Amino acid sequence: MRSREEAEATLHIAKLNPAELLPPVHCLSFSPRAGAGECCLLQLEPGLCAELEAGHSLVIRGEKDEQAVLCSKDKTYDMKIADTSNMLLFIPGCKTPEQLLGDQASCNIIHTQIAGFSNNYWELRKCRPKLKKLKKLLMENPYEGPDSEREKALTDSKYTMEDLLDRIQASEEEILHQLQVINACKIEGYWRVLEFDYEMKLLNHVTQLIDSESWSFSKVPLSICLQELGPLEPEAMIQHILLSYGMKYTDEDEVYFEMNADKICTATAQMLLQNAVKFNLAEFQEVWQQSVPEGLTTRLDQLKGLALLDRNSRPETIFLLKVEELPEDNQERFNKLFTIREKWTEADIAPYIQDLCAEKQTVAALLTKYARSSMQNGVKVYNTRRPIS
């Protein structure tokens, strides 16, 4: 055991002035069981530290073939190993200089055993939640209605929130938000998405009732919808379709929905486009306007992220291209887009890459990184930076 005199002699040999140092002396020794690789260090930002100190959990998520991510209650972080040239020591009960200054009893020799050591640590970087898999899992068994043969068989996959948290690399709040985006609903404790034809059937029931009752799309009464449509479909499904395509509000203690015209027009367009490889644009616009409920107006900007126009073909055409079906990885997304079309204008490509933008990142910045620009007939266009295999 080293004495105070021996510690001061060592300082003298090292030509260090004791007056410039704190009085306590740490004498370190390795525990017989100390070793590398037995402990992992994780570098946390102050917000995550505060969450742990408040008793919340941080969860590492990812299957064997996935890069691990760390999730708090509402954020997702990439995990990368950062090497350091300095050995990092694990010392139980080690006090900081500030703590030593406030503890006059520690002003002598402190004998400490090193419990472990490491030459690297895990570094966190906030990232987009990996939510593409969520829709894929739920589409394994879409809900086709209470009377469907498939529903009666009860053999297909169904997922609770706990199941989704085990499989999706995202925080609980991010998963819940995405479930709302994809119009999922909870049926008998399981999260489900509606099969598209059944969803359109429910929507048509509502829009036909609005037409027959001569209601405004901005004021659809819930009680009468449930009364009139209840014999046709479960009340929970009627409420769900109203929530998916409208906004709920209360007026004089009565619950109403303001229907979203853009969402209704977009869904109708998807119904028309999903059965055709390509559609003559002029003919499509005519059929589309005839197919939506009376009083609604269709516009091409309602199709952003759903369909792509080809203005260079004769006649001009339109075809289904859903952003949700494109790869989640940035480079893979751009590769896929440039196989579909060699050159893109920013206006055409923006709906298909907007979701890739990180916090405070713009579409223009993404294009600068993953595409090359040029001028074509006075218009700036973008093409790939690399050969596509």
Side-chain angles (χ1 to χ4, degrees), residues 98-379:
E98 291 77 11
Q99 290 171 322
L100 290 171
L101 278 172
D103 186 2
Q104 296 302 318
S106 300
C107 293
N108 211 329
I109 298 287
I110 302 172
H111 295 282
T112 306
Q113 279 202 331
I114 298 167
F117 58 90
S118 178
N119 289 313
N120 54 53
Y121 59 93
W122 286 100
E123 200 173 46
L124 303 181
R125 182 175 297 174
K126 191 173 180 302
C127 66
R128 296 193 315 273
K130 296 169 173 57
L131 294 163
K132 192 73 64 178
K133 191 176 175 182
L134 178 60
K135 181 77 175 281
K136 184 179 178 182
L137 289 176
L138 297 184
M139 285 304 293
E140 292 173 0
N141 184 21
Y143 185 70
E144 299 175 355
D147 301 323
S148 73
E149 291 301 318
R150 185 174 179 180
E151 199 61 31
K152 290 174 184 176
L154 296 175
T155 56
D156 293 285
S157 302
K158 295 179 184 177
Y159 298 97
T160 63
M161 176 53 74
E162 289 70 28
D163 296 329
L164 295 175
L165 288 169
D166 284 342
R167 291 166 173 81
I168 307 299
Q169 292 185 288
S171 69
E172 185 171 357
E173 284 192 16
E174 289 166 331
I175 291 174
L176 285 169
H177 177 262
Q178 187 65 13
L179 286 168
Q180 186 177 0
V181 169
I182 63 176
N183 293 334
C185 60
K186 192 180 278 191
I187 300 173
E188 296 178 351
Y190 297 97
W191 282 100
R192 311 286 297 277
V193 288
L194 304 190
E195 191 270 331
F196 185 67
D197 287 344
Y198 180 59
E199 183 176 327
M200 292 306 295
K201 178 184 174 183
L202 291 170
L203 182 59
N204 284 334
H205 282 325
V206 171
T207 56
Q208 286 171 11
L209 181 62
I210 292 171
D211 181 59
S212 66
E213 298 288 342
S214 300
W215 291 334
S216 165
F217 274 87
S218 63
K219 196 169 187 178
V220 178
L222 173 62
S223 59
I224 301 179
C225 285
L226 295 178
Q227 180 183 323
E228 295 294 325
L229 302 178
L232 303 175
E233 298 292 346
E235 290 190 0
M237 289 297 97
I238 297 165
Q239 289 197 61
H240 174 66
I241 208 69
L242 287 167
L243 284 167
S244 298
Y245 288 88
M247 185 178 67
K248 185 177 180 180
Y249 68 95
T250 304
D251 184 16
E252 296 181 354
D253 297 327
E254 184 77 23
V255 177
Y256 294 93
F257 284 86
E258 181 179 354
M259 305 306 291
N260 187 313
D262 287 347
K263 280 189 175 182
I264 295 171
C265 291
T266 301
T268 307
Q270 181 177 337
M271 179 184 67
L272 296 172
L273 289 169
Q274 67 180 2
N275 297 318
V277 177
K278 281 194 176 183
F279 216 122
N280 179 302
L281 179 59
E283 292 177 2
F284 167 76
Q285 287 181 279
E286 183 179 347
V287 173
W288 183 26
Q289 182 59 59
Q290 291 171 355
S291 302
V292 299
E294 188 176 348
L296 301 189
T297 304
T298 59
R299 305 185 314 275
L300 289 177
D301 67 335
Q302 293 165 339
L303 305 181
K304 288 181 179 179
L306 174 71
L308 187 62
L309 277 62
D310 187 350
R311 298 284 192 183
N312 295 322
S313 65
R314 292 293 177 267
E316 295 178 345
T317 58
I318 184 171
F319 59 94
L320 195 68
L321 181 61
K322 298 162 76 174
V323 64
E324 65 193 50
E325 294 178 356
L326 294 173
E328 200 163 34
D329 175 76
N330 288 18
Q331 189 61 63
E332 290 178 15
R333 173 81 62 91
F334 275 90
N335 288 350
K336 179 69 175 177
L337 290 171
F338 287 127
T339 58
I340 293 169
R341 176 179 288 180
E342 184 181 353
K343 295 183 178 181
W344 294 73
T345 64
E346 183 174 343
D348 283 346
I349 202 171
Y352 293 103
I353 61 172
Q354 184 70 55
D355 62 312
L356 299 180
C357 292
E359 198 172 350
K360 298 181 181 178
Q361 189 178 30
T362 63
V363 165
L366 265 183
L367 287 169
T368 300
K369 183 174 182 180
Y370 292 100
R372 180 182 287 111
S373 66
S374 60
M375 298 300 290
Q376 183 174 292
N377 300 325
V379 178

